[in-house]
């Protein structure tokens, strides 16, 4: 039963001519699949419909071929041929009474047009502003281009209607989308009636909304997504100007969709942003308009959501990541199952699917983007197979997810953990600076497991091959994790290199175990994800002087894909960490490290008192190897299968581990598919030759 406190979240509300059944609003988010994987993306939205979202949006949809953001894989609505794929998506979105929305994007100065080879058109002539600094410049729209662009928006709106959508979102936030480019003085240098005053800079969006309203406004709601604060210096579209803009155009769209300035700030990771971090920026805007407002802020707590609506700050609770981590969030609140919510941990792994043009993953929800490819459902497991019992060895993220999902399938599971707490690496890493929210990976699974009568957990149970054979479980899943290497082997050094035993050497595991280097510590980061930067913060907190040396061109380079890199660098620099880029470490002497330039190999020493090696990790697969060596004894012991999963198999980010655990649980007792592809995919249909 739903708690009365949350009733306000389930009140219907009109958005122009259409009505949302509740206040749960899945704001646009990409998924790395887009036009390449249309059925996978449609099925993912369909699961959200089932999970109770009142409004479900696509990701940004390129609405005209003269503006596209290759290599990123989003949706396209360039011509009628694109309609059937999008219709499939809108049908899935509407399958449980939700509204289907499409976000139309004309990227202007953000679209390098690498695929269509068209000359980019922007509000003013400028170099293209992309993640990759493409060596391309945009031409300024002239008056006839503006007329064309208005017509293209109307064409796209008509196609959206034919594709079955109820809502159109005009994209002008995150620095992306031509509407923001008109509004911001950083990208609008025009001297005609579209530039200069705020009134003039608002002209284009007013015209487009009027055009679209004439075309489809009787049946479709029109929303406008604008940045709450562009935060790019004096010329940026500031929060004060946003307020003036809304007041000046009170009733312009059917709904205001307000999202913080840059994408990095809007999708800020939990390392740097709390839940509801945009509250101050959006507070009070409601007084300036009669139209409803949706806002975002990694909302996972129903109390915070209800407060947002009751206080009149927001009308709709916008969620991207929380809806990825738990597509059934609204339904769980409605059914009074708050403790079952799988809360987003704010790690931004979901964004890496888009940034790497692969397909998205989610640390908390391993079924994300596998709904169609593998037929995985976030709340339902496949039927149980023939065997009855499973022993899971290791209660890290892989072992915990395997246990939870196996128990859901109906297996009797024994979970054996060598230590005294659940969580493995996550139990340790959640104590590091900024990573507390990552503990939700453990908390969600520990609670779910505690509710299952068919799971027994054993602590202080470091099992060896002999005891596993004696137990005689039918299936054994080894998830014993990994440990940081002490020899510096990673990418620069593929074999161990010279180290003087006189220099105190540490690994991240040592620090997590309470090890305390003192004085000047050199961190040699050849891992390139978050750990090097987090360790630097930890050491500064402990009073050390820190120099971080990395062969990469960026500190914590891979976090460019999680949108964290700039904030990490800024934070470390402000903390006084000396950051040495493009240099490796060739040797560790008794009182210094010898560094080398990655391009010229020029050597130079850095004196220090201790070295922290953030290199790579070694699989803890000893039990598995010993069991394999005794494979001849398995049948007598009643063992049908032994499988190695997660970091113990091949170390990776936590999302890789939860995926491995989930996959193990799904595939146990399933028929061997031999050499067949283990997922469905779509192949571009060949046109006539
Ligand atoms: C994986 C991912 C992809 C996104 N893609 C888009 C997009 O295509 N269009 C858009 O307007 N915002 C996009 N966003 C931003 C979200 O809509 C949202 O504003 C932001 O993530 C903050 O909301 P949250 O805290 O609920 O995640 C994306 C966010 C994520 C996490
Ligand atoms: S990948 Fe991380 S940030 Fe993204 S939805 Fe999942 S838990 Fe949240």
């Amino acid at each position: 039963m739903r708690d009365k406190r949350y009733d306000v979240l389930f009140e219907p509300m009109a958005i122009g001519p259409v009505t949302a059944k509740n206040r749960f609003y899945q704001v646009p988010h990409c998924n790395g699949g887009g036009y390449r994987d249309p059925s996978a993306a449609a099925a993912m939205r369909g699961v959200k419909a089932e999970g109770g979202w009142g409004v479900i949006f696509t990701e940004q949809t390129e609405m005209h071929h003269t503006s596209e953001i290759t290599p990123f894989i989003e949706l396209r609505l360039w011509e009628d041929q694109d309609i059937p794929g999008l219709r499939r998506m809108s049908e899935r979105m509407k399958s449980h009474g939700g509204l289907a929305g499409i976000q139309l994007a004309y990227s202007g100065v953000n679209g390098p047009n690498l695929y269509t080879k068209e000359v980019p058109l922007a509000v003013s002539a400028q170099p293209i502003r992309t993640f990759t600094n493409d060596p391309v410049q945009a031409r300024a729209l002239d008056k006839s281009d503006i007329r064309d662009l208005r017509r293209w928006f109307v064409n796209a709106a008509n196609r959206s209607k034919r594709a079955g959508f109820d809502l159109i979102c005009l994209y002008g936030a995150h620095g992306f989308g031509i509407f923001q480019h008109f509004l911001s003085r950083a990208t609008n240098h025009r001297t005609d009636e579209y530039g200069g005053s705020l009134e003039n800079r608002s002209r284009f969006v007013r015209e487009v909304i009027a055009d679209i309203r004439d075309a489809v406004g009787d049946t479709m709601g029109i929303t406008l997504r604008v940045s709450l604060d562009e935060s790019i210096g004096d010329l940026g579209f500031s929060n004060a100007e946003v307020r003036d803009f809304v007041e000046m155009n009170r009733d312009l769209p059917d709904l205001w969709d307000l999202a913080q300035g840059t994408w990095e700030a809007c999708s800020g990771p939990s390392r740097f942003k709390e839940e509801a971090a945009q509250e101050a920026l959006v507070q009070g805007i409601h007084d300036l308009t009669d139209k409803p407002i949706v806002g975002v802020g990694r909302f996972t707590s129903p109390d915070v959501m209800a407060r947002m609506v009751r206080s009149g700050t927001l009308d709709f609770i916008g969620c991207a990541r929380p809806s990825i981590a738990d597509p059934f969030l609204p339904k769980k609140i409605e059914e009074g199952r708050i403790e079952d919510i799988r809360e987003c941990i704010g790690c931004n792994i979901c964004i890496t699917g888009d940034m790497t043009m692969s397909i998205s993953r989610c640390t908390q929800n391993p079924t994300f983007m596998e709904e169609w490819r593998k037929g995985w459902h976030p709340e339902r497991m496949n039927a149980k197979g023939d065997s009855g019992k499973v022993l899971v060895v290791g209660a890290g993220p892989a072992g915990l997810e395997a246990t939870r999902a196996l128990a859901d399938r109906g297996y009797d599971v024994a979970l054996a953990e060598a230590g005294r707490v659940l969580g493995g690496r996550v139990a340790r890493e959640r104590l590091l600076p900024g990573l507390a929210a990552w503990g939700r990976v453990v908390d969600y699974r520990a609670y779910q497991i505690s509710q299952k009568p068919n799971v027994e957990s054993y602590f202080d149970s470091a099992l060896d091959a002999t005891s596993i054979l004696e137990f005689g479980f039918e299936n054994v899943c080894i998830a014993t994790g990994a440990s940081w290497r002490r020899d510096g082997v990673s990418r620069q050094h593929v074999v161990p290199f010279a180290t003087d035993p006189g220099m105190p050497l540490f690994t991240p595991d040592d620090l997590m175990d309470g090890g305390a280097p003192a004085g000047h510590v050199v961190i040699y980061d050849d891992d390139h994800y978050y750990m090097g930067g987090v360790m630097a913060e930890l050491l500064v907190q402990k009073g050390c002087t820190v120099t971080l040396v990395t062969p990469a061109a960026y500190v914590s380079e891979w976090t460019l894909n999680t949108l964290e890199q700039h904030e990490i660098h800024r934070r470390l620099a402000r903390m006084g960490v000396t950051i040495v880029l493009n240099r490796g470490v060739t040797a560790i002497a008794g009182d210094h490290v010898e560094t080398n330039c990655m391009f010229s190999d020029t050597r130079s020493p850095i004196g220090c008192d201790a070295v922290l090696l953030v290199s790579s990790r070694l699989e803890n697969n000893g039990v598995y190897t010993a069991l394999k060596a005794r494979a001849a004894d398995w049948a007598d012991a009643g063992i049908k299968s032994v499988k190695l999963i997660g970091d113990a198999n091949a170390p990776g980010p936590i999302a890789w581990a939860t995926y491995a655990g989930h996959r193990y649980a799904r595939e146990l007792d399933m028929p061997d598919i031999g050499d067949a592809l283990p997922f469905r995919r779509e192949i571009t249909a060949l046109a006539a030759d």
Side-chain angles (χ1 to χ4, degrees), residues 61-70 78 105-113 116 118-121 149 152 178:
T61 306
E62 295 167 352
M63 47 72 71
H64 197 259
H65 71 276
T66 53
S67 187
E68 48 93 6
I69 58 169
T70 303
W78 293 352
Y106 193 89
S107 297
V109 78
N110 298 120
N113 294 349
T116 59
E118 297 285 353
V119 171
L121 297 171
L149 185 49
W152 297 339
I178 194 108

PDB file of all heavy atoms in Angstrom, residues 61-70 78 105-113 116 118-121 149 152 178:
ATOM      1  N   THR A  61      17.114  13.494 -30.446  1.00  0.00           N
ATOM      2  CA  THR A  61      16.854  12.950 -31.771  1.00  0.00           C
ATOM      3  C   THR A  61      17.275  13.998 -32.792  1.00  0.00           C
ATOM      4  O   THR A  61      16.763  15.126 -32.774  1.00  0.00           O
ATOM      5  CB  THR A  61      15.350  12.630 -31.923  1.00  0.00           C
ATOM      6  OG1 THR A  61      14.965  11.777 -30.848  1.00  0.00           O
ATOM      7  CG2 THR A  61      15.051  11.977 -33.253  1.00  0.00           C
ATOM      8  N   GLU A  62      18.210  13.630 -33.628  1.00  0.00           N
ATOM      9  CA  GLU A  62      18.686  14.585 -34.639  1.00  0.00           C
ATOM     10  C   GLU A  62      17.543  14.819 -35.619  1.00  0.00           C
ATOM     11  O   GLU A  62      17.103  13.898 -36.305  1.00  0.00           O
ATOM     12  CB  GLU A  62      19.892  14.002 -35.366  1.00  0.00           C
ATOM     13  CG  GLU A  62      21.100  13.807 -34.454  1.00  0.00           C
ATOM     14  CD  GLU A  62      22.193  12.947 -35.087  1.00  0.00           C
ATOM     15  OE1 GLU A  62      21.949  12.379 -36.179  1.00  0.00           O
ATOM     16  OE2 GLU A  62      23.269  12.822 -34.481  1.00  0.00           O
ATOM     17  N   MET A  63      17.039  16.071 -35.675  1.00  0.00           N
ATOM     18  CA  MET A  63      15.804  16.297 -36.427  1.00  0.00           C
ATOM     19  C   MET A  63      16.039  16.700 -37.888  1.00  0.00           C
ATOM     20  O   MET A  63      15.096  16.772 -38.647  1.00  0.00           O
ATOM     21  CB  MET A  63      14.870  17.277 -35.718  1.00  0.00           C
ATOM     22  CG  MET A  63      15.458  18.556 -35.182  1.00  0.00           C
ATOM     23  SD  MET A  63      15.938  19.783 -36.423  1.00  0.00           S
ATOM     24  CE  MET A  63      14.376  20.360 -37.029  1.00  0.00           C
ATOM     25  N   HIS A  64      17.285  16.928 -38.253  1.00  0.00           N
ATOM     26  CA  HIS A  64      17.558  17.251 -39.661  1.00  0.00           C
ATOM     27  C   HIS A  64      18.994  16.844 -39.988  1.00  0.00           C
ATOM     28  O   HIS A  64      19.884  16.972 -39.133  1.00  0.00           O
ATOM     29  CB  HIS A  64      17.354  18.741 -39.923  1.00  0.00           C
ATOM     30  CG  HIS A  64      17.223  19.074 -41.380  1.00  0.00           C
ATOM     31  ND1 HIS A  64      18.264  19.585 -42.119  1.00  0.00           N
ATOM     32  CD2 HIS A  64      16.179  18.940 -42.232  1.00  0.00           C
ATOM     33  CE1 HIS A  64      17.857  19.765 -43.376  1.00  0.00           C
ATOM     34  NE2 HIS A  64      16.595  19.381 -43.467  1.00  0.00           N
ATOM     35  N   HIS A  65      19.207  16.402 -41.223  1.00  0.00           N
ATOM     36  CA  HIS A  65      20.528  15.854 -41.546  1.00  0.00           C
ATOM     37  C   HIS A  65      21.623  16.925 -41.599  1.00  0.00           C
ATOM     38  O   HIS A  65      22.802  16.601 -41.640  1.00  0.00           O
ATOM     39  CB  HIS A  65      20.470  15.116 -42.891  1.00  0.00           C
ATOM     40  CG  HIS A  65      20.317  16.037 -44.066  1.00  0.00           C
ATOM     41  ND1 HIS A  65      19.088  16.508 -44.487  1.00  0.00           N
ATOM     42  CD2 HIS A  65      21.231  16.596 -44.893  1.00  0.00           C
ATOM     43  CE1 HIS A  65      19.261  17.309 -45.521  1.00  0.00           C
ATOM     44  NE2 HIS A  65      20.553  17.381 -45.793  1.00  0.00           N
ATOM     45  N   THR A  66      21.252  18.199 -41.581  1.00  0.00           N
ATOM     46  CA  THR A  66      22.288  19.238 -41.619  1.00  0.00           C
ATOM     47  C   THR A  66      22.896  19.475 -40.234  1.00  0.00           C
ATOM     48  O   THR A  66      23.711  20.388 -40.062  1.00  0.00           O
ATOM     49  CB  THR A  66      21.720  20.574 -42.136  1.00  0.00           C
ATOM     50  OG1 THR A  66      20.563  20.900 -41.357  1.00  0.00           O
ATOM     51  CG2 THR A  66      21.364  20.495 -43.603  1.00  0.00           C
ATOM     52  N   SER A  67      22.479  18.678 -39.276  1.00  0.00           N
ATOM     53  CA  SER A  67      23.062  18.834 -37.946  1.00  0.00           C
ATOM     54  C   SER A  67      23.073  17.490 -37.244  1.00  0.00           C
ATOM     55  O   SER A  67      22.042  17.024 -36.766  1.00  0.00           O
ATOM     56  CB  SER A  67      22.239  19.846 -37.133  1.00  0.00           C
ATOM     57  OG  SER A  67      22.900  20.116 -35.927  1.00  0.00           O
ATOM     58  N   GLU A  68      24.234  16.872 -37.190  1.00  0.00           N
ATOM     59  CA  GLU A  68      24.333  15.562 -36.536  1.00  0.00           C
ATOM     60  C   GLU A  68      25.655  15.472 -35.781  1.00  0.00           C
ATOM     61  O   GLU A  68      26.592  16.215 -36.069  1.00  0.00           O
ATOM     62  CB  GLU A  68      24.126  14.425 -37.551  1.00  0.00           C
ATOM     63  CG  GLU A  68      24.924  14.546 -38.846  1.00  0.00           C
ATOM     64  CD  GLU A  68      26.253  13.830 -38.807  1.00  0.00           C
ATOM     65  OE1 GLU A  68      26.536  13.139 -37.823  1.00  0.00           O
ATOM     66  OE2 GLU A  68      27.020  13.999 -39.773  1.00  0.00           O
ATOM     67  N   ILE A  69      25.666  14.559 -34.797  1.00  0.00           N
ATOM     68  CA  ILE A  69      26.788  14.551 -33.853  1.00  0.00           C
ATOM     69  C   ILE A  69      27.591  13.253 -33.903  1.00  0.00           C
ATOM     70  O   ILE A  69      28.107  12.802 -32.877  1.00  0.00           O
ATOM     71  CB  ILE A  69      26.328  14.868 -32.415  1.00  0.00           C
ATOM     72  CG1 ILE A  69      25.266  13.867 -31.929  1.00  0.00           C
ATOM     73  CG2 ILE A  69      25.790  16.281 -32.318  1.00  0.00           C
ATOM     74  CD1 ILE A  69      24.980  13.992 -30.428  1.00  0.00           C
ATOM     75  N   THR A  70      27.704  12.670 -35.087  1.00  0.00           N
ATOM     76  CA  THR A  70      28.611  11.541 -35.257  1.00  0.00           C
ATOM     77  C   THR A  70      29.962  11.917 -34.619  1.00  0.00           C
ATOM     78  O   THR A  70      30.394  13.058 -34.783  1.00  0.00           O
ATOM     79  CB  THR A  70      28.815  11.274 -36.770  1.00  0.00           C
ATOM     80  OG1 THR A  70      27.532  11.040 -37.339  1.00  0.00           O
ATOM     81  CG2 THR A  70      29.713  10.079 -37.013  1.00  0.00           C
ATOM     82  N   TRP A  78      15.292  12.112 -39.820  1.00  0.00           N
ATOM     83  CA  TRP A  78      15.704  12.904 -40.974  1.00  0.00           C
ATOM     84  C   TRP A  78      14.690  12.830 -42.107  1.00  0.00           C
ATOM     85  O   TRP A  78      14.641  13.699 -42.974  1.00  0.00           O
ATOM     86  CB  TRP A  78      17.053  12.380 -41.503  1.00  0.00           C
ATOM     87  CG  TRP A  78      18.211  12.601 -40.572  1.00  0.00           C
ATOM     88  CD1 TRP A  78      18.215  13.329 -39.417  1.00  0.00           C
ATOM     89  CD2 TRP A  78      19.533  12.079 -40.737  1.00  0.00           C
ATOM     90  NE1 TRP A  78      19.456  13.287 -38.842  1.00  0.00           N
ATOM     91  CE2 TRP A  78      20.299  12.535 -39.634  1.00  0.00           C
ATOM     92  CE3 TRP A  78      20.158  11.283 -41.698  1.00  0.00           C
ATOM     93  CZ2 TRP A  78      21.650  12.220 -39.474  1.00  0.00           C
ATOM     94  CZ3 TRP A  78      21.506  10.969 -41.538  1.00  0.00           C
ATOM     95  CH2 TRP A  78      22.240  11.435 -40.448  1.00  0.00           C
ATOM     96  N   ALA A 105      16.491  17.647 -31.497  1.00  0.00           N
ATOM     97  CA  ALA A 105      17.740  18.386 -31.330  1.00  0.00           C
ATOM     98  C   ALA A 105      18.256  18.865 -32.687  1.00  0.00           C
ATOM     99  O   ALA A 105      18.364  18.079 -33.634  1.00  0.00           O
ATOM    100  CB  ALA A 105      18.788  17.492 -30.669  1.00  0.00           C
ATOM    101  N   TYR A 106      18.529  20.149 -32.761  1.00  0.00           N
ATOM    102  CA  TYR A 106      19.318  20.686 -33.872  1.00  0.00           C
ATOM    103  C   TYR A 106      20.583  21.215 -33.209  1.00  0.00           C
ATOM    104  O   TYR A 106      20.538  22.152 -32.423  1.00  0.00           O
ATOM    105  CB  TYR A 106      18.567  21.790 -34.619  1.00  0.00           C
ATOM    106  CG  TYR A 106      19.236  22.115 -35.938  1.00  0.00           C
ATOM    107  CD1 TYR A 106      18.894  21.421 -37.095  1.00  0.00           C
ATOM    108  CD2 TYR A 106      20.225  23.089 -36.010  1.00  0.00           C
ATOM    109  CE1 TYR A 106      19.523  21.689 -38.306  1.00  0.00           C
ATOM    110  CE2 TYR A 106      20.858  23.363 -37.220  1.00  0.00           C
ATOM    111  CZ  TYR A 106      20.508  22.656 -38.366  1.00  0.00           C
ATOM    112  OH  TYR A 106      21.131  22.913 -39.572  1.00  0.00           O
ATOM    113  N   SER A 107      21.718  20.579 -33.502  1.00  0.00           N
ATOM    114  CA  SER A 107      22.897  20.783 -32.664  1.00  0.00           C
ATOM    115  C   SER A 107      23.718  22.013 -33.018  1.00  0.00           C
ATOM    116  O   SER A 107      24.586  22.422 -32.240  1.00  0.00           O
ATOM    117  CB  SER A 107      23.784  19.531 -32.705  1.00  0.00           C
ATOM    118  OG  SER A 107      23.075  18.440 -32.171  1.00  0.00           O
ATOM    119  N   GLY A 108      23.480  22.615 -34.173  1.00  0.00           N
ATOM    120  CA  GLY A 108      24.161  23.866 -34.508  1.00  0.00           C
ATOM    121  C   GLY A 108      25.663  23.789 -34.293  1.00  0.00           C
ATOM    122  O   GLY A 108      26.362  22.969 -34.887  1.00  0.00           O
ATOM    123  N   VAL A 109      26.157  24.610 -33.390  1.00  0.00           N
ATOM    124  CA  VAL A 109      27.601  24.720 -33.175  1.00  0.00           C
ATOM    125  C   VAL A 109      28.186  23.472 -32.491  1.00  0.00           C
ATOM    126  O   VAL A 109      29.400  23.339 -32.374  1.00  0.00           O
ATOM    127  CB  VAL A 109      27.915  26.017 -32.391  1.00  0.00           C
ATOM    128  CG1 VAL A 109      27.606  25.852 -30.907  1.00  0.00           C
ATOM    129  CG2 VAL A 109      29.345  26.477 -32.612  1.00  0.00           C
ATOM    130  N   ASN A 110      27.313  22.532 -32.071  1.00  0.00           N
ATOM    131  CA  ASN A 110      27.807  21.272 -31.506  1.00  0.00           C
ATOM    132  C   ASN A 110      27.834  20.136 -32.516  1.00  0.00           C
ATOM    133  O   ASN A 110      28.243  19.027 -32.178  1.00  0.00           O
ATOM    134  CB  ASN A 110      26.928  20.810 -30.331  1.00  0.00           C
ATOM    135  CG  ASN A 110      26.944  21.792 -29.199  1.00  0.00           C
ATOM    136  OD1 ASN A 110      25.907  22.305 -28.829  1.00  0.00           O
ATOM    137  ND2 ASN A 110      28.121  22.074 -28.687  1.00  0.00           N
ATOM    138  N   GLY A 111      27.358  20.363 -33.731  1.00  0.00           N
ATOM    139  CA  GLY A 111      27.258  19.265 -34.692  1.00  0.00           C
ATOM    140  C   GLY A 111      28.314  19.365 -35.777  1.00  0.00           C
ATOM    141  O   GLY A 111      28.223  20.204 -36.670  1.00  0.00           O
ATOM    142  N   PRO A 112      29.330  18.501 -35.742  1.00  0.00           N
ATOM    143  CA  PRO A 112      30.400  18.609 -36.740  1.00  0.00           C
ATOM    144  C   PRO A 112      30.024  18.023 -38.101  1.00  0.00           C
ATOM    145  O   PRO A 112      30.738  18.224 -39.081  1.00  0.00           O
ATOM    146  CB  PRO A 112      31.548  17.818 -36.112  1.00  0.00           C
ATOM    147  CG  PRO A 112      30.910  16.860 -35.166  1.00  0.00           C
ATOM    148  CD  PRO A 112      29.647  17.514 -34.682  1.00  0.00           C
ATOM    149  N   ASN A 113      28.910  17.269 -38.174  1.00  0.00           N
ATOM    150  CA  ASN A 113      28.435  16.691 -39.438  1.00  0.00           C
ATOM    151  C   ASN A 113      29.493  15.813 -40.113  1.00  0.00           C
ATOM    152  O   ASN A 113      29.708  15.894 -41.331  1.00  0.00           O
ATOM    153  CB  ASN A 113      27.972  17.795 -40.407  1.00  0.00           C
ATOM    154  CG  ASN A 113      26.740  18.509 -39.885  1.00  0.00           C
ATOM    155  OD1 ASN A 113      26.125  18.053 -38.929  1.00  0.00           O
ATOM    156  ND2 ASN A 113      26.379  19.612 -40.507  1.00  0.00           N
ATOM    157  N   THR A 116      27.282  13.330 -42.528  1.00  0.00           N
ATOM    158  CA  THR A 116      26.560  13.872 -43.696  1.00  0.00           C
ATOM    159  C   THR A 116      27.434  14.797 -44.542  1.00  0.00           C
ATOM    160  O   THR A 116      27.099  15.101 -45.678  1.00  0.00           O
ATOM    161  CB  THR A 116      25.311  14.659 -43.257  1.00  0.00           C
ATOM    162  OG1 THR A 116      25.714  15.733 -42.401  1.00  0.00           O
ATOM    163  CG2 THR A 116      24.314  13.764 -42.545  1.00  0.00           C
ATOM    164  N   GLU A 118      27.722  17.831 -44.415  1.00  0.00           N
ATOM    165  CA  GLU A 118      27.118  19.141 -44.649  1.00  0.00           C
ATOM    166  C   GLU A 118      27.914  20.198 -43.878  1.00  0.00           C
ATOM    167  O   GLU A 118      28.481  19.908 -42.817  1.00  0.00           O
ATOM    168  CB  GLU A 118      25.663  19.158 -44.150  1.00  0.00           C
ATOM    169  CG  GLU A 118      24.737  18.204 -44.867  1.00  0.00           C
ATOM    170  CD  GLU A 118      24.351  18.693 -46.256  1.00  0.00           C
ATOM    171  OE1 GLU A 118      24.700  19.844 -46.614  1.00  0.00           O
ATOM    172  OE2 GLU A 118      23.713  17.907 -46.985  1.00  0.00           O
ATOM    173  N   VAL A 119      27.927  21.412 -44.382  1.00  0.00           N
ATOM    174  CA  VAL A 119      28.558  22.506 -43.641  1.00  0.00           C
ATOM    175  C   VAL A 119      27.664  22.816 -42.437  1.00  0.00           C
ATOM    176  O   VAL A 119      26.467  23.070 -42.605  1.00  0.00           O
ATOM    177  CB  VAL A 119      28.699  23.758 -44.531  1.00  0.00           C
ATOM    178  CG1 VAL A 119      29.157  24.958 -43.701  1.00  0.00           C
ATOM    179  CG2 VAL A 119      29.668  23.487 -45.663  1.00  0.00           C
ATOM    180  N   PRO A 120      28.194  22.772 -41.216  1.00  0.00           N
ATOM    181  CA  PRO A 120      27.351  23.035 -40.049  1.00  0.00           C
ATOM    182  C   PRO A 120      26.790  24.460 -40.066  1.00  0.00           C
ATOM    183  O   PRO A 120      27.486  25.413 -40.458  1.00  0.00           O
ATOM    184  CB  PRO A 120      28.302  22.844 -38.865  1.00  0.00           C
ATOM    185  CG  PRO A 120      29.431  22.021 -39.394  1.00  0.00           C
ATOM    186  CD  PRO A 120      29.569  22.395 -40.836  1.00  0.00           C
ATOM    187  N   LEU A 121      25.552  24.582 -39.623  1.00  0.00           N
ATOM    188  CA  LEU A 121      24.893  25.886 -39.528  1.00  0.00           C
ATOM    189  C   LEU A 121      24.707  26.216 -38.061  1.00  0.00           C
ATOM    190  O   LEU A 121      24.171  25.407 -37.305  1.00  0.00           O
ATOM    191  CB  LEU A 121      23.519  25.834 -40.204  1.00  0.00           C
ATOM    192  CG  LEU A 121      23.528  25.551 -41.705  1.00  0.00           C
ATOM    193  CD1 LEU A 121      22.110  25.313 -42.207  1.00  0.00           C
ATOM    194  CD2 LEU A 121      24.172  26.722 -42.438  1.00  0.00           C
ATOM    195  N   LEU A 149      15.095  26.499 -41.262  1.00  0.00           N
ATOM    196  CA  LEU A 149      15.194  25.762 -39.993  1.00  0.00           C
ATOM    197  C   LEU A 149      13.832  25.704 -39.295  1.00  0.00           C
ATOM    198  O   LEU A 149      13.442  24.669 -38.742  1.00  0.00           O
ATOM    199  CB  LEU A 149      16.252  26.433 -39.106  1.00  0.00           C
ATOM    200  CG  LEU A 149      16.602  25.754 -37.785  1.00  0.00           C
ATOM    201  CD1 LEU A 149      16.887  24.262 -37.952  1.00  0.00           C
ATOM    202  CD2 LEU A 149      17.816  26.438 -37.136  1.00  0.00           C
ATOM    203  N   TRP A 152      11.960  23.061 -41.017  1.00  0.00           N
ATOM    204  CA  TRP A 152      12.458  21.712 -40.678  1.00  0.00           C
ATOM    205  C   TRP A 152      11.916  21.275 -39.312  1.00  0.00           C
ATOM    206  O   TRP A 152      11.622  20.102 -39.115  1.00  0.00           O
ATOM    207  CB  TRP A 152      13.996  21.699 -40.657  1.00  0.00           C
ATOM    208  CG  TRP A 152      14.610  22.000 -41.997  1.00  0.00           C
ATOM    209  CD1 TRP A 152      14.015  21.881 -43.217  1.00  0.00           C
ATOM    210  CD2 TRP A 152      15.945  22.480 -42.231  1.00  0.00           C
ATOM    211  NE1 TRP A 152      14.888  22.258 -44.209  1.00  0.00           N
ATOM    212  CE2 TRP A 152      16.089  22.626 -43.633  1.00  0.00           C
ATOM    213  CE3 TRP A 152      17.028  22.804 -41.421  1.00  0.00           C
ATOM    214  CZ2 TRP A 152      17.267  23.078 -44.226  1.00  0.00           C
ATOM    215  CZ3 TRP A 152      18.209  23.252 -42.001  1.00  0.00           C
ATOM    216  CH2 TRP A 152      18.320  23.383 -43.392  1.00  0.00           C
ATOM    217  N   ILE A 178      20.139  24.173 -30.490  1.00  0.00           N
ATOM    218  CA  ILE A 178      20.225  25.511 -31.071  1.00  0.00           C
ATOM    219  C   ILE A 178      19.485  26.566 -30.260  1.00  0.00           C
ATOM    220  O   ILE A 178      19.823  27.743 -30.304  1.00  0.00           O
ATOM    221  CB  ILE A 178      19.715  25.475 -32.536  1.00  0.00           C
ATOM    222  CG1 ILE A 178      20.097  26.730 -33.314  1.00  0.00           C
ATOM    223  CG2 ILE A 178      18.204  25.276 -32.596  1.00  0.00           C
ATOM    224  CD1 ILE A 178      21.142  26.529 -34.326  1.00  0.00           C
TER     225      ILE A 178
END
